[in-house]
Amino acid sequence: MNYVVKFRYYSPLDSQTGGCIGHTQDESSSLSNFALCDDGINMLSNKKWIICKFDIPPGLESFRVGIADRSTGPIGFYFDDIQIVNDENIYGTGSSCTGIELENVTPPGKEGFSDSVISELSTLLTAGRLDEKSKHIIRNLYDAKDTHNDGLVNAQQMILTSPQYHSTNIVKSTQEARPDFKFPEKNGKPYKAVVTLMFAGGCDSYNMLVPYSCKKGPVDMEKQYKDVRSTVALPRERLHPIDVSDQVCEKFGIHKELPTVQTMYNDKDLLFFANTGVLTKKVSKVNYNTVTKTQLFAHNTMQQESKRIDPNELATGTGVLGRMADVLAQDGRLVGSFSVSKFQVALAGNPAISGSATIVNTDGVPELFISDEIKDNFESLHNVTEYDSGFFAETWSSNIKLSVDSNELLRNEYKKINTTTTFPLTGLGKQLKTVTQLIGTRDARGVDTDMFYVEIGGFDTHASVEENLENRFIEVESALAAFKDELIHEDLWNNVTTIQVSDFARTLIPNSGEGTDHAWGGNYMMFGGSVKGKQVKGTFPNDFTIDGPQILKRGRIIPTTPWDACFKTIATWLGVRNRDIPYVCPNCASFEPEMMFDANDLFHGIEPEPPTMMPTDSPSLHPSKSSQPTSKDDTKSPSSLPSQSPSLSPSSLPSQSPSLSPSKVPSDSPSEVLSNVPSHLPTNLPSSDPTKWKCKSNDQCKDDNPCTKNLCKKGKCKTKTKKGCCNVHLDCDDGKDCTIDVCNSKNKCVNTSTCNDFNFCTKDSCNKKGCQFKQKNNCTCILIGEEGCRKSKDCCTKKCKNGTCVKKKT
């Protein structure tokens, strides 16, 4: 027979690389005859795959085909698809790389080899949990590639997306594909958005808002500012003056690199929060270190708390914006949440209620890098599962399908939005441009509310504070100016409120490196078209010296306004009802009323809260402590005339005439008079002839209330209330303002006292009059930092070390 050897060859260079092929007729490992070599002439690849052939001399009983490397260095070349065929048509034409075609054949053992590769990967990566259908899909992707290495990449990528890799469950898939994700339809409600801007590192905000003219007060704070701040104090020529009322100064100065901030303030679109920060409750220089739950003066803890606003950890794992999203979603709002560059706990709520926040890049919505082959076969690995399939595997498949679909939809809508304003190519400029483009997708996403979190770093100015602060403010200024202009151009300035936050302010007294160090209370700003600007809210310190009531060592200032007060008003502006404020701001009740703000003083257009006309579909997240009392003159008999609108609460007696509008609350028993108007909610009983209907089983009497036992007796439904059971938080209200009342997952009430003055010598209790701190007989204790203790019980903090009371580790 006349044999021809065909093969494919590739060289990464356009010159000779030394790849050779030939044959030998003995058992030698060395080739006796080179048929073709890459010498730049006879077998020139030129960076492309080429097909060549050579003839085996006639009359050989046996032979071996071999390849050799005759290069002078590690250059690299590739032979593939080597075929030995009996082709009389081209035999005898000599060695050639022109006009040669390879046979379309399946190499022996390919199918079996593929199966073994996929089975081995299944064992290594999923402990053998891949089912046969999944193996078949993955094997086809492996076989679709030209080389083993490329096929292996395909197979590994597919397995790494599979539910079997991400859980230890047994997956039972159906043939039904999961439905594609779609954005919800718009509900027609007006759009609002909140943007939180973090100055990460601790902004020296007493050089952002500075005493400028303070002649009317008892103390010249401008002079005191210059004396205390010394070498880092800013002169007037480096400030933009603004007029202020109801503060210790009649004029303040804004840092010279923030002219847009001054403009927004004078246009009544921006206000400042003075001396604001993380607080557990109102504190003094005497008790701040024992009363405050948050570890002070540390980046991680104080920045984290500015995002959570929950020092007592009553809503662990959530952030203040996420909790807002929860209650708004429960009220029927469609809420979106976005963080730029990384996860932010501020946006974390209950994912079962408001969903999870979306993380986008600084430059927008990232593209999902996935090959066409993977994309075309990906969904078939994640079909709908059987009812008895593993829960964790089902959760993974459901979420990854949702993530891929929603990312693609969002990216497509995002690419359609262009800004008319030129944003600076800085980190913050790109972030705020991304925010405006995401806002531009609001109609396509069907949302009426958005939460955004952006961040600019570099404010940890332990050295050269003014040089570093000036550079930071230059970037802030250009980004805010563009952000404002774009929102105004898009007629969204009144719809978006931005609040600026930071870890903490910095020490008034500089260090030896012309820098300032970690402190506490600081000055912050909030702006937008709905903000009632040109005011400084809170209380600016009236004494910067160590004798000042709020001043600690090195000029650290105890805040007089908690973050709770700021975010409470933002929640109200967004539409959070008073009944849900304890969930959004669980620590608000710890502060005296004068430390909080009225939302009407900070925002335009706060609409009065309408009365609740019907029960919600789910229990309230937290009861209101300040609901209006019921009138003492409740009627004892039914009304003789029908009402024009539904009653706010059901009557215990039937009305003599039917109401003119449908009831908002389902009845517990059939109506004696048939209504001509449909009810808003279904009754708990069937609506056949009400005088003749009789129950036949207990199931027909169920009311979905875990605190009732419903029985059918002699054709009538009987209801018994379980003792000690609660259904909603309101059931647990004990009438005490100093307790947090919660109905837990076991339908049991938990009433937690918030009374604790951290004083070893008092007995703390809570009653209807409020917190009570009763002094123990013959007990005195020493405050933290004071000397003279001999044993731990001498200290209010229960810890004595070397004669001095210290904070007890928790």
Side-chain angles (χ1 to χ4, degrees):
M1 298 182 69
N2 298 321
Y3 291 103
V4 175
V5 178
K6 299 179 181 181
F7 60 90
R8 292 196 303 146
Y9 178 76
Y10 174 81
S11 169
L13 301 179
D14 54 6
S15 60
Q16 63 186 39
T17 53
C20 292
I21 189 169
H23 77 282
T24 179
Q25 58 184 359
D26 53 30
E27 298 297 323
S28 172
S29 60
S30 300
L31 292 178
S32 58
N33 182 22
F34 292 118
L36 282 169
C37 284
D38 183 359
D39 55 7
I41 300 176
N42 295 325
M43 193 170 64
L44 180 61
S45 166
N46 199 21
K47 300 180 182 179
K48 295 180 180 179
W49 283 100
I50 58 175
I51 303 175
C52 305
K53 55 85 65 171
F54 68 91
D55 301 332
I56 299 296
L60 294 182
E61 295 183 1
S62 64
F63 61 90
R64 302 171 68 191
V65 174
I67 59 177
D69 182 359
R70 301 184 66 189
S71 65
T72 57
I75 298 175
F77 51 82
Y78 304 90
F79 288 94
D80 198 5
D81 286 340
I82 300 175
Q83 301 178 5
I84 302 174
V85 296
N86 180 20
D87 191 340
E88 297 289 348
N89 294 325
I90 62 173
Y91 184 80
T93 59
S95 300
S96 174
C97 293
T98 303
I100 310 302
E101 295 182 358
L102 286 170
E103 304 293 330
N104 187 15
V105 297
T106 299
K110 179 179 180 182
E111 185 171 345
F113 180 72
S114 301
D115 287 338
S116 66
V117 169
I118 304 307
S119 293
E120 186 174 358
L121 288 175
S122 173
T123 301
L124 290 172
L125 299 178
T126 72
R129 288 187 297 274
L130 277 181
D131 57 83
E132 290 304 317
K133 176 186 173 185
S134 299
K135 287 181 180 179
H136 178 74
I137 295 169
I138 297 169
R139 189 195 68 201
N140 287 343
L141 280 173
Y142 172 82
D143 287 341
K145 285 297 185 179
D146 292 331
T147 67
H148 166 70
N149 287 343
D150 291 343
L152 198 59
V153 170
N154 261 6
Q156 289 172 333
Q157 287 180 343
M158 283 293 285
I159 292 176
L160 294 184
T161 71
S162 70
Q164 291 92 340
Y165 177 79
H166 289 275
S167 74
T168 56
N169 297 158
I170 299 300
V171 182
K172 298 181 179 179
S173 296
T174 67
Q175 298 300 316
E176 180 184 355
R178 294 182 186 274
D180 292 334
F181 169 79
K182 295 181 180 180
F183 289 127
E185 296 293 329
K186 294 191 297 183
N187 58 16
K189 295 181 179 180
Y191 177 78
K192 289 185 177 181
V194 172
V195 180
T196 302
L197 169 57
M198 165 62 74
F199 286 1
C203 175
D204 195 329
S205 53
Y206 282 95
N207 270 15
M208 180 174 75
L209 186 68
V210 178
Y212 190 91
S213 176
C214 314
K215 304 300 184 184
K216 296 181 179 180
V219 179
D220 187 346
M221 288 301 296
E222 181 190 7
K223 181 179 183 302
Q224 212 177 79
Y225 161 82
K226 293 178 179 178
D227 291 342
V228 173
R229 299 234 76 182
S230 183
T231 56
V232 300
L234 297 178
R236 283 190 174 188
E237 57 267 23
R238 300 182 68 183
L239 299 169
H240 297 293
I242 57 172
D243 295 326
V244 181
S245 59
D246 301 324
Q247 292 291 343
V248 67
C249 299
E250 61 271 15
K251 286 183 182 291
F252 282 110
I254 297 174
H255 195 284
K256 71 165 187 174
E257 298 298 344
L258 297 173
T260 296
V261 172
Q262 181 200 30
T263 300
M264 289 192 289
Y265 181 89
N266 289 333
D267 290 345
K268 298 184 179 181
D269 288 336
L270 180 146
L271 60 78
F272 285 97
F273 295 114
N275 196 25
T276 299
V278 170
L279 281 173
T280 304
K281 59 171 60 176
K282 184 178 181 179
V283 297
S284 67
K285 295 169 72 171
V286 175
N287 66 357
Y288 78 91
N289 214 5
T290 54
V291 171
T292 304
K293 297 289 186 69
T294 307
Q295 181 184 339
L296 295 174
F297 319 128
H299 288 295
N300 57 335
T301 54
M302 296 189 74
Q303 187 177 125
Q304 184 88 336
E305 189 51 40
S306 73
K307 300 172 183 178
R308 297 186 63 251
I309 320 294
D310 179 26
N312 293 302
E313 298 188 4
L314 300 177
T316 304
T318 65
V320 64
L321 299 178
R323 296 193 295 272
M324 289 185 203
D326 286 347
V327 296
L328 291 171
Q330 283 204 323
D331 276 348
R333 303 289 290 271
L334 298 173
V335 186
S337 295
F338 295 92
S339 174
V340 182
S341 295
K342 61 182 179 181
F343 168 77
Q344 298 287 359
V345 71
L347 296 168
N350 185 337
I353 298 175
S354 58
S356 300
T358 300
I359 302 173
V360 297
N361 290 344
T362 302
D363 295 317
V365 182
E367 181 180 3
L368 181 63
F369 292 101
I370 183 172
S371 67
D372 291 339
E373 294 137 322
I374 298 293
K375 188 174 182 179
D376 292 342
N377 291 273
F378 162 79
E379 292 187 8
S380 57
L381 280 184
H382 301 279
N383 280 348
V384 174
T385 56
E386 301 284 0
Y387 74 93
D388 58 343
S389 185
F391 172 77
F392 294 109
E394 164 63 23
T395 301
W396 167 257
S397 288
S398 174
N399 284 343
I400 194 172
K401 176 70 164 62
L402 172 64
S403 297
V404 172
D405 284 0
S406 60
N407 186 83
E408 184 174 9
L409 268 181
L410 180 60
R411 178 173 170 78
N412 290 338
E413 294 299 332
Y414 180 87
K415 289 190 296 185
K416 298 175 184 178
I417 306 299
N418 295 308
T419 60
T420 58
T421 306
T422 301
F423 280 77
L425 298 177
T426 60
L428 184 58
K430 291 179 180 179
Q431 290 183 71
L432 291 180
K433 181 181 180 182
T434 294
V435 169
T436 59
Q437 289 180 268
L438 287 170
I439 290 175
T441 68
R442 63 194 181 281
D443 290 340
R445 292 184 287 117
V447 300
D448 54 62
T449 307
D450 271 324
M451 311 285 185
F452 298 98
Y453 203 99
V454 297
E455 181 177 300
I456 175 175
F459 286 93
D460 195 16
T461 51
H462 288 286
S464 304
V465 59
E466 187 46 34
E467 178 184 348
N468 290 312
L469 195 63
E470 187 172 297
N471 290 334
R472 294 293 81 206
F473 282 164
I474 290 172
E475 181 175 343
V476 169
E477 162 62 24
S478 59
L480 292 189
F483 185 53
K484 172 196 170 187
D485 291 345
E486 183 65 17
L487 291 178
I488 290 175
H489 181 271
E490 295 297 326
D491 197 23
L492 289 168
W493 183 235
N494 295 339
N495 304 78
V496 180
T497 293
T498 302
I499 182 170
Q500 174 259 318
V501 299
S502 191
D503 323 24
F504 39 65
R506 306 191 78 82
T507 55
L508 295 176
I509 300 174
N511 57 35
S512 59
E514 300 297 326
T516 50
D517 302 315
H518 301 181
W520 196 352
N523 305 310
Y524 305 95
M525 54 188 169
M526 182 171 74
F527 58 86
S530 292
V531 174
K532 288 185 177 180
K534 205 172 184 178
Q535 55 179 336
V536 177
K537 302 300 290 184
T539 304
F540 197 88
N542 59 9
D543 190 345
F544 280 155
T545 70
I546 192 61
D547 296 327
Q550 305 301 125
I551 307 300
L552 304 174
K553 292 180 180 180
R554 293 204 54 223
R556 293 184 173 97
I557 306 178
I558 298 174
T560 47
T561 296
W563 279 123
D564 312 61
C566 308
F567 282 97
K568 176 179 178 291
T569 60
I570 292 175
T572 302
W573 175 71
L574 282 175
V576 173
R577 297 172 182 261
N578 287 333
R579 71 185 183 197
D580 293 321
I581 289 297
Y583 175 77
V584 174
C585 295
N587 197 43
C588 276
S590 300
F591 301 105
E592 300 170 4
E594 59 267 24
M595 297 179 70
M596 307 301 285
F597 300 127
D598 185 336
N600 289 286
D601 294 335
L602 273 63
F603 288 99
H604 299 286
I606 298 292
E607 297 182 1
E609 187 171 312
T612 303
M613 303 297 287
M614 62 183 292
T616 60
D617 294 332
S618 55
S620 171
L621 291 168
H622 199 286
S624 169
K625 292 268 190 175
S626 58
S627 57
Q628 295 182 352
T630 305
S631 169
K632 294 182 179 179
D633 299 325
D634 290 330
T635 58
K636 302 298 182 182
S637 59
S639 168
S640 59
L641 295 175
S643 63
Q644 297 292 331
S645 58
S647 172
L648 292 177
S649 58
S651 169
S652 60
L653 299 175
S655 64
Q656 292 179 352
S657 300
S659 65
L660 298 180
S661 59
S663 170
K664 301 278 187 176
V665 182
S667 61
D668 290 326
S669 58
S671 169
E672 295 183 359
V673 180
L674 297 177
S675 170
N676 293 323
V677 183
S679 63
H680 284 275
L681 295 174
T683 62
N684 294 326
L685 301 174
S687 57
S688 58
D689 188 344
T691 60
K692 296 181 180 180
W693 185 85
K694 294 182 180 181
C695 63
K696 296 181 180 179
S697 67
N698 293 339
D699 287 342
Q700 292 180 318
C701 299
K702 286 184 177 180
D703 60 1
D704 295 326
N705 187 338
C707 292
T708 59
K709 185 176 182 180
N710 310 110
L711 301 174
C712 178
K713 290 189 175 181
K714 297 181 179 180
K716 294 184 177 181
C717 289
K718 303 292 183 181
T719 300
K720 292 183 179 181
T721 302
K722 300 177 184 178
K723 292 183 179 180
C725 179
C726 60
N727 188 25
V728 295
H729 295 318
L730 191 60
D731 296 340
C732 301
D733 190 356
D734 60 2
K736 301 175 184 178
D737 289 337
C738 46
T739 60
I740 297 172
D741 310 320
V742 176
C743 179
N744 67 17
S745 59
K746 297 181 180 180
N747 298 108
K748 299 293 182 182
C749 286
V750 179
N751 305 101
T752 305
S753 172
T754 60
C755 301
N756 188 351
D757 63 355
F758 297 90
N759 190 331
F760 178 73
C761 288
T762 60
K763 183 177 181 181
D764 308 333
S765 62
C766 172
N767 59 29
K768 293 186 178 180
K769 294 182 180 180
C771 289
Q772 306 295 316
F773 305 107
K774 185 177 180 181
Q775 184 72 23
K776 297 178 182 178
N777 293 332
N778 302 321
C779 180
T780 58
C781 66
I782 304 170
L783 295 173
I784 185 170
E786 295 188 11
E787 299 178 353
C789 61
R790 291 176 295 177
K791 45 193 175 182
S792 291
K793 73 177 185 178
D794 295 337
C795 298
C796 304
T797 55
K798 302 183 184 180
K799 183 71 173 178
C800 179
K801 184 176 181 180
N802 299 326
T804 301
C805 291
V806 297
K807 187 175 182 179
K808 184 179 179 182
K809 292 183 179 180
T810 57

